[in-house]
Amino acid sequence: QVQFVESGGGLVQPGGSLRLSCAASGSIDSIFAMGWYRQAPGKQRELVADITRAGSTNYADSVKGRFTISRDNAKNTVYLQMSSLKPEDTAVYYCNEKEPITDYAFGSWGQGTQVTVSS
């Protein structure tokens, strides 16, 4: 079972940028789709971006145009470049293997990485 470890979070001012990394314990080459999810305090976990093996991407409307998801199969790593950050982006961010046509995540949830957008 592949495990995922997220990193790169931190405190950033509104309008700032962060790049999150998701390191997999094994190969992600055979994983059809990887997703980045987030959960804000008192809210449900939501899918914010996903990417297929072929590089096709999807984004939640709330982050479209600001976030970019990418994957490096050779490094077994998935990235989330976040720009023009807003306070409402504050959440714990997780990565996971995503079911091809739904938001369902196949794997166990890791610790995630905290992103705080504040002045």
Side-chain angles (χ1 to χ4, degrees):
Q1 181 173 320
V2 177
Q3 304 296 129
F4 304 102
V5 179
E6 302 89 347
S7 63
L11 175 64
V12 64
Q13 293 183 332
S17 300
L18 283 173
R19 189 181 75 160
L20 307 184
S21 297
C22 169
S25 64
S27 176
I28 64 169
D29 186 63
S30 63
I31 296 178
F32 179 77
M34 288 291 301
W36 278 99
Y37 302 75
R38 69 185 181 188
Q39 186 168 28
K43 297 183 179 179
Q44 296 182 340
R45 197 186 332 252
E46 63 175 342
L47 178 69
V48 298
D50 65 87
I51 183 168
T52 69
R53 294 175 65 193
S56 179
T57 59
N58 291 289
Y59 299 93
D61 288 341
S62 60
V63 307
K64 196 170 298 181
R66 300 188 298 117
F67 290 12
T68 301
I69 187 171
S70 61
R71 63 192 288 175
D72 187 335
N73 292 340
K75 295 182 178 180
N76 296 323
T77 303
V78 183
Y79 304 96
L80 185 68
Q81 177 66 51
M82 307 185 297
S83 300
S84 301
L85 284 162
K86 304 174 180 179
E88 49 262 48
D89 294 319
T90 296
V92 178
Y93 285 72
Y94 306 85
C95 65
N96 215 323
E97 180 180 353
K98 192 190 83 67
E99 197 275 332
I101 61 173
T102 74
D103 293 357
Y104 178 79
F106 284 116
S108 299
W109 297 105
Q111 294 298 305
T113 185
Q114 175 72 49
V115 172
T116 302
V117 184
S118 176
S119 299

